Amino acid sequence: MSAGAARRFLRDRLNDWGYPLAQAETPCLLLSELVTNAVLHTRTPVGLELRLAGRRLRCAVADESSRVPVPRRCKASDDAGRGLQLVEELAEEWGVETIAAGKTVWFEVDLAVRERHPWGRARP
C-alpha cells in the first residue's frame, strides 16, 4: 500500500459516510505519515483499518515489524523525521499496539471539530 492509495481510500470512505472533502485534510495528512513510516522503515506488508464511531475517526496502520516508532525532536535544518510530531500535534489521541505479527500505529481525530489552534490540538 502506498500513502497515495491510503489517502484515496480514506477520502472515499469519508465521502461514503457523508463528510465533505475539507474534513479529510488532517486525517489524510496523518495517515500519509503513518503509511510512509511503515513502508520506509519496516519494508513489510502494510494494512489499513478505518473506523468511524459517531464523529470520531480512528485510522490504524499495521505492519509486521516489532520495532515501535518514537517521535523525534528535529532541528529546523532536518529534512525528515517530523511525521510522528505531526501526529502528536494534530490527532486527538494516538498510540502503538503490539500484535502477534508486528504492531499497529493508530490515531483518532474528531471530524466534528472545525476550528484548530495554529499549533495543533482542536478547539471544541
Side-chain angles (χ1 to χ4, degrees), residues 19 23 54-57 109-115 122-124:
Y19 284 92
Q23 295 295 98
R55 293 183 178 147
R56 189 133 176 135
L57 173 67
V109 293
D110 184 347
L111 295 174
V113 174
R114 301 208 188 278
E115 184 180 346
R123 236 194 317 198

Side-chain angles (χ1 to χ4, degrees), residues 22-121:
Q23 295 295 98
E25 289 180 22
T26 297
C28 279
L29 171 65
L30 301 182
L31 185 59
S32 287
E33 294 297 336
L34 295 189
V35 170
T36 298
N37 283 350
V39 169
L40 290 177
H41 299 294
T42 72
R43 304 201 187 281
T44 69
V46 175
L48 171 61
E49 180 183 6
L50 305 176
R51 273 192 260 157
L52 185 64
R55 293 183 178 147
R56 189 133 176 135
L57 173 67
R58 180 182 174 104
C59 298
V61 176
D63 61 59
E64 296 176 4
S65 170
S66 60
R67 193 171 130 210
V68 175
V70 177
R72 318 186 311 192
R73 296 297 166 210
C74 297
K75 299 174 189 166
S77 60
D78 290 345
D79 290 334
R82 292 180 181 81
L84 289 179
Q85 281 183 305
L86 283 172
V87 174
E88 270 189 339
E89 290 296 320
L90 298 176
E92 303 297 323
E93 294 182 58
W94 79 280
V96 180
E97 297 170 357
T98 56
I99 55 177
K103 69 178 170 303
T104 300
V105 183
W106 59 271
F107 68 85
E108 293 184 0
V109 293
D110 184 347
L111 295 174
V113 174
R114 301 208 188 278
E115 184 180 346
R116 294 195 172 270
H117 290 290
W119 58 87
R121 298 249 186 252

